[in-house]
C-alpha cells in the first residue's frame, strides 16, 4: 500500500495531503477565494504568490497530522497540468525538490485525473467501466473510465465550463465570486420553475445535435436578457430584481441538462454506473437530481465526497498512488503545461520529459 505526499496548486487553492492508496491520512487546503473575490475572478500573479507562501506550512501540517515524515513516504506527487503555469510551478518545483532530496519517485499528475480519482475517496465503485460527469471551473466532460489511466471522452462543452457559467451568472446577479456557492445559497429559497431557460444544444455539421455535448453561452445570454428586462420593469416602478428565482431557475436548468445528457450517454454506451466529480459536483441540486434520475432508470451512481469536489490534494494523491501501482513515475525534469488533454495523461510518465 503506497503512501504518497501530494501537492496541488493549479489554480486558486493551495493544498497538500498524505494518502495511503485511497485512504486520506491528512489533507489541508488553503483557499485564496477571498483575495480573488475582490477582483471578481482569479488573478494568476496573486495566485502564484499565495501558493509560494502557503505550501510549506501545508506540507508541515499534513506530515504532523498524519504522523508520516516526508522521508517515510513512497512517492511525492504534484499536479503538473492543466492549469495556470505560474501556479502549477509552485507544487512542481516543491515536489521535485523534495523527491530529489529524499531519493523518492516523483509522480506528475493530470489535474482532471485527480478529479476523476476523487470518487475513490468515498464508497467503493461497482466493478467494470463507468461514466464520469466531470464538472469544474475549467472543464465539463463526460469521460468513460475503463481502467485506471484508460479514458475516453464521450462529451464536452463547446464553450464555457459549467463552473464558469455559474461564476459569470453570479456576477450578472451581483452575487460575487466564486459563483457556484453564491448561486446555490441564493437559489435555496427561489422558485426553480419561474423562468423558462434554454438547455443549449450543439448542432452537428451533418445535421441533428451532439447528444452528449453541452453549450452554456445561449443560457448565459438568456439570463442577461431576462435580467435586463426585469431591471427595466424595476426602473418603471416594478418589484426589485427576483435574484433568488433567477438563481434557482438557472441552477435547475444547468442541473437538468447535465443529468439528462449524462444518463443518456451512460445508457447508450451500456455503462451501469454514473459518477459525479469536480467543483460543481458540490452543488446540492445537481447531486440530488443525479441521484433521483439514476434511481428512476436503474443506473448506479456515486458522487465524490463533498470535501473532495473542489480542488484538493487528496485526489491528486489517489491518482498518483494508482500510477505508482502501474509501475510508473515521472522524469524529474518534467515541467508544467497550461493545457493537456486527459487522453494524453500517460505522457507525464514518458522519458524524456514531455515538457
Ligand atoms: O474543481 P474546482 O475547484 O476547480 C477547477 O478545477 O476548476 O471547481 C471550481 C468551480 C467554480 O467555478 C465554482 O463556482 C464551482 O466549482 N462550484 C460550484 C459549487 N461549489 C463550487 N458550483 C455550483 N455549486 C456549488 N456548490
Ligand atoms: Zn479542479
Amino acid at each position: 500500500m503506497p503512501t504518497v505526499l501530494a501537492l496541488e496548486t493549479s489554480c486558486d487553492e493551495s493544498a497538500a495531503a498524505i494518502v495511503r492508496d485511497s485512504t486520506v491520512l491528512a489533507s489541508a487546503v488553503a483557499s485564496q477565494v477571498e483575495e480573488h473575490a475582490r477582483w471578481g475572478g482569479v488573478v494568476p500573479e496573486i495566485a502564484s504568490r499565495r501558493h509560494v507562501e502557503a505550501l510549506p506550512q501545508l506540507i508541515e501540517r499534513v506530515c504532523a497530522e498524519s504522523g508520516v515524515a516526508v522521508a517515510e513516504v513512497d512517492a511525492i506527487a504534484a499536479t503538473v497540468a492543466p492549469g495556470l503555469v505560474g501556479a502549477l510551478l509552485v507544487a512542481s518545483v516543491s515536489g521535485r525538490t523534495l523527491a530529489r532530496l529524499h531519493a523518492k519517485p516523483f509522480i506528475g499528475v493530470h489535474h482532471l485525473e485527480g478529479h476523476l480519482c476523487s470518487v475513490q475517496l468515498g464508497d467503493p465503485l461497482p466493478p467494470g467501466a463507468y461514466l464520469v460527469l466531470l464538472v469544474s471551473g475549467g472543464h465539463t466532460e463526460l469521460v468513460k473510465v475503463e481502467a485506471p489511466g484508460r479514458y475516453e471522452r464521450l462529451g464536452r462543452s463547446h464553450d464555457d465550463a459549467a463552473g464558469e457559467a455559474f461564476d459569470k451568472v453570479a456576477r450578472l446577479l451581483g452575487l460575487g465570486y466564486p459563483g457556484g456557492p453564491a448561486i446555490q445559497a441564493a437559489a435555496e429559497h427561489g422558485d426553480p420553475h419561474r423562468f423558462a431557460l434554454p438547455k443549449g444544444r450543439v448542432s452537428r455539421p451533418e445535421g441533428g445535435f451532439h447528444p452528449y455535448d453541452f453549450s452554456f453561452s445561449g443560457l448565459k445570454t438568456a439570463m442577461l436578457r431576462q435580467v435586463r428586462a426585469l431591471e427595466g420593469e424595476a426602473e418603471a416602478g416594478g418589484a426589485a430584481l427576483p435574484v433568488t428565482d433567477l438563481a434557482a431557475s438557472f441552477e435547475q436548468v444547468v442541473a437538468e441538462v447535465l443529468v439528462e445528457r449524462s444518463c443518456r450517454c451512460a445508457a447508450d454506451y451500456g455503462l451501469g454506473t454514473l459518477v459525479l466529480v469536480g467543483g460543481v459536483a458540490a452543488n446540492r441540486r445537481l447531486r440530488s437530481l443525479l441521484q433521483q434520475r439514476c434511481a428512476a432508470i436503474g443506473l448506479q451512481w456515486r458522487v465524490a465526497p463533498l470535501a473532495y469536489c473542489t480542488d484538493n490534494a487528496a485526489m491528486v494523491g489517489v491518482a498518483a498512488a494508482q500510477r505508482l501501482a502501474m509501475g510508473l513515475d515521472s522524469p524529474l525534469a518534467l515541467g508544467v503545461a497550461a493545457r493537456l488533454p486527459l487522453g494524453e495523461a500517460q505522457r507525464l510518465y514518458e522519458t524524456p520529459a514531455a515538457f
Side-chain angles (χ1 to χ4, degrees):
M1 291 212 294
T3 304
V4 177
L5 165 63
L7 311 176
E8 156 67 48
T9 59
S10 65
C11 189
D12 59 349
E13 328 272 3
S14 321
I18 299 218
V19 168
R20 186 163 292 153
D21 270 349
S22 53
T23 303
V24 183
L25 303 185
S27 170
V29 180
S31 176
Q32 309 173 353
V33 290
E34 274 174 32
E35 190 139 3
H36 297 292
R38 284 198 284 153
W39 308 98
V42 178
V43 183
E45 173 72 17
I46 295 177
S48 309
R49 286 169 185 268
R50 294 297 163 266
H51 290 314
V52 169
E53 286 166 12
L55 199 58
Q57 282 97 316
L58 293 172
I59 296 172
E60 265 190 316
R61 210 166 105 196
V62 294
C63 287
E65 276 177 28
S66 63
V68 177
V70 177
E72 293 168 326
V73 302
D74 298 297
I76 293 165
T79 303
V80 294
L84 302 168
V85 164
L88 287 164
L89 280 170
V90 179
S92 158
V93 169
S94 310
R96 287 180 297 137
T97 305
L98 288 172
R100 178 70 189 243
L101 288 174
H102 292 274
K104 308 282 182 189
F106 172 71
I107 320 264
V109 172
H110 192 291
H111 184 72
L112 298 189
E113 185 166 286
H115 276 299
L116 293 184
C117 287
S118 65
V119 72
Q120 295 176 37
L121 295 162
D123 294 338
L125 282 159
Y130 52 91
L131 183 68
V132 183
L133 169 61
L134 191 165
V135 272
S136 70
H139 296 85
T140 297
E141 302 198 351
L142 279 167
V143 182
K144 177 182 169 185
V145 179
E146 288 207 39
R150 280 180 58 200
Y151 310 121
E152 186 185 352
R153 189 172 74 181
L154 301 178
R156 67 184 172 98
S157 172
H158 284 246
D159 38 61
D160 286 350
E164 218 174 338
F166 268 94
D167 294 336
K168 289 179 180 168
V169 167
R171 200 174 311 151
L172 174 69
L173 298 178
L175 290 172
Y177 176 88
I183 290 210
Q184 174 168 296
E188 205 167 340
H189 304 292
D191 173 2
H193 303 291
R194 171 154 173 204
F195 299 103
L197 295 163
K199 286 190 175 167
R201 298 209 284 178
V202 180
S203 335
R204 280 206 278 223
E206 66 272 29
F209 298 97
H210 283 285
Y212 323 122
D213 284 2
F214 306 94
S215 165
F216 294 106
S217 64
L219 171 58
K220 241 175 22 195
T221 311
M223 286 295 291
L224 178 67
R225 280 213 200 95
Q226 191 62 256
V227 168
R228 295 287 173 263
L230 289 161
E231 278 173 348
E233 283 174 29
E235 268 168 34
L241 198 64
V243 171
T244 56
D245 291 345
L246 284 163
S249 301
F250 168 78
E251 197 183 56
Q252 179 70 26
V253 77
V254 172
E256 276 178 16
V257 78
L258 289 171
V259 170
E260 281 164 9
R261 285 180 204 163
S262 306
C263 286
R264 173 158 180 203
C265 182
D268 289 354
Y269 278 83
L271 298 165
T273 306
L274 179 60
V275 165
L276 176 64
V277 302
V280 182
N283 186 266
R284 269 197 298 271
R285 196 183 301 268
L286 175 60
R287 289 168 89 87
S288 78
L289 191 71
L290 183 124
Q291 295 177 23
Q292 277 169 29
R293 297 281 166 91
C294 284
I297 59 169
L299 206 60
Q300 302 225 50
W301 74 85
R302 292 287 184 274
V303 291
L306 207 50
Y308 302 116
C309 287
T310 46
D311 288 348
N312 64 89
M315 67 184 195
V316 176
V318 176
Q322 225 170 57
R323 291 288 180 177
L324 198 64
M326 292 160 75
L328 299 171
D329 67 351
S330 304
L332 260 192
L334 182 66
V336 300
R339 293 172 199 282
L340 183 70
L342 178 63
E344 293 179 27
Q346 78 285 349
R347 290 178 58 206
L348 304 180
Y349 312 103
E350 286 168 3
T351 305
F355 41 77

